[in-house]
Amino acid sequence: MRAHQGRGWSRAGVMAVALLVASAAGACSSQDEPGAAPAPSSASPSASASPSSSASSASPSSSPSASPSSTSASPSPSAVGPTPTPGPSVIPKIRRPGQPSRPSISAAPAPFASPVAYSDGLELSVDKVTPGVETGQGPGVFTGREFAVFTVTLRNDTDKAIDAQQVVVTSTYGSRDLVAERVYANDARAVDFGGRLAPGKSATARYAFAVPAKQLGDVRLVVDFDGLHTSAQFDGDARKAS
């Protein structure tokens, strides 16, 4: 009897031990399940914080839209150069040292087709008026500005020499008598009077002024050459110069 009971207890003990081992194994396997791993923390870097591929749109454009157009219109000849202003109705004479302060020999104004003749034998005439356009570069040059060259001849049929060293020429144009600026561009080939003009001799000079071609029909040219004579004045259509 004792031998039979001893073997029965032994089986029961074995089974109890087996149950304990199985329970312990189940607990360990539940902790090692891959699905039970902790979720990523919200503090981990977000993918949106990485540099955006759209950032390239903020880079400078290879072809700026503000670049000036290569086909912009050039200014018209009448708009080139200083803006002219109206001149006086009478151009005053200049004072010359050693010469009379008031002229004593006078002559009436003349149209461009006729000379201005003085009673002592002195005569001025406008031989021709040539329009042109400035094309050069440099100080005092306004590329594209229209001008007119007045070719003037002074003939001395008096009995004394004429001092032509201080000749002052003025030109105005239009209904407002706008003062035309002198033009010294190479295109004009301007040449002033100078020196002394002996009796029986004549001299020719070229004076260029910024008179637009469309205004040549209404021009005034005043030549103040000495203190003894009134200034020679030409009025009217400069295109009719002889």
Side-chain angles (χ1 to χ4, degrees):
M1 287 291 293
R2 286 183 189 167
H4 180 73
Q5 291 175 349
R7 284 196 299 271
W9 177 256
S10 176
R11 287 195 193 97
V14 170
M15 290 179 66
V17 170
L19 288 173
L20 290 173
V21 171
S23 175
C28 290
S29 62
S30 65
Q31 292 179 359
D32 294 335
E33 282 287 337
S41 170
S42 60
S44 62
S46 171
S48 62
S50 62
S52 172
S53 61
S54 64
S56 61
S57 63
S59 61
S61 172
S62 60
S63 58
S65 59
S67 60
S69 172
S70 60
T71 59
S72 58
S74 59
S76 62
S78 60
V80 177
T83 301
T85 57
S89 58
V90 176
I91 304 298
K93 287 186 67 67
I94 66 169
R95 289 183 174 272
R96 297 171 173 87
Q99 296 195 24
S101 58
R102 302 186 107 188
S104 58
I105 303 174
S106 62
F112 280 90
S114 302
V116 172
Y118 295 86
S119 59
D120 63 350
L122 196 67
E123 184 178 283
L124 279 91
S125 60
V126 178
D127 301 329
K128 62 180 177 179
V129 177
T130 308
V133 178
E134 293 184 54
T135 61
Q137 301 287 337
V141 177
F142 298 91
T143 303
R145 180 172 64 174
E146 294 183 341
F147 63 85
V149 178
F150 298 82
T151 302
V152 181
T153 295
L154 172 63
R155 180 165 183 81
N156 182 14
D157 284 335
T158 70
D159 55 2
K160 295 180 180 179
I162 297 295
D163 185 359
Q165 192 68 34
Q166 298 177 336
V167 177
V168 177
V169 182
T170 305
S171 180
T172 64
Y173 63 89
S175 59
R176 299 174 59 203
D177 282 333
L178 299 178
V179 178
E181 187 178 48
R182 283 287 302 271
V183 174
Y184 296 97
N186 291 334
D187 308 271
R189 301 194 301 275
V191 180
D192 291 3
F193 284 116
R196 294 180 66 82
L197 184 63
K201 298 296 183 179
S202 62
T204 300
R206 291 166 54 92
Y207 293 89
F209 291 91
V211 178
K214 65 181 180 180
Q215 298 287 351
L216 286 176
D218 187 6
V219 175
R220 174 175 56 167
L221 187 73
V222 179
V223 184
D224 181 0
F225 53 92
D226 72 356
L228 181 63
H229 300 80
T230 59
S231 299
Q233 181 170 315
F234 299 89
D235 295 298
D237 191 345
R239 296 167 296 187
K240 294 183 178 181
S242 56

